[in-house]
Amino acid sequence: MAANWWLALIIMVVLNGILVWNFLVGLEPISRRAKKWFFIVVNVIGLVLAVSQFFWMDF
C-alpha cells in the first residue's frame, strides 16, 4: 500500500514539476488567468491518474 502512496506522490510531483518548468522557461507571456486554469487542469489530470493507479495496482 505504501508503494501506491509513493507512486501517487511521484505522479503529482512530476506533473507539477513539468508545469513549473514550462512557466519558468516559456518565452511567451501567459496571462495570470491562463496560468490558473492550466494549473487547475494539470492538477485534476494528476489527481485522476493518482487515484486510478490505486485501483489499477490492486488487481
Side-chain angles (χ1 to χ4, degrees):
M1 187 66 178
N4 289 4
W5 287 106
W6 279 110
L7 185 58
L9 180 65
I10 289 169
I11 289 170
M12 293 302 290
V13 167
V14 166
L15 286 177
N16 281 303
I18 292 169
L19 178 71
V20 170
W21 178 259
N22 204 6
F23 286 157
L24 293 177
V25 176
L27 299 176
E28 64 276 350
I30 302 173
S31 71
R32 185 177 276 260
R33 187 173 184 177
K35 283 183 183 180
K36 179 183 80 169
W37 280 107
F38 193 50
F39 180 77
I40 289 170
V41 168
V42 166
N43 280 299
V44 166
I45 291 170
L47 187 62
V48 167
L49 289 174
V51 169
S52 67
Q53 65 86 23
F54 278 99
F55 298 113
W56 179 67
M57 286 186 71
D58 286 340
F59 294 119

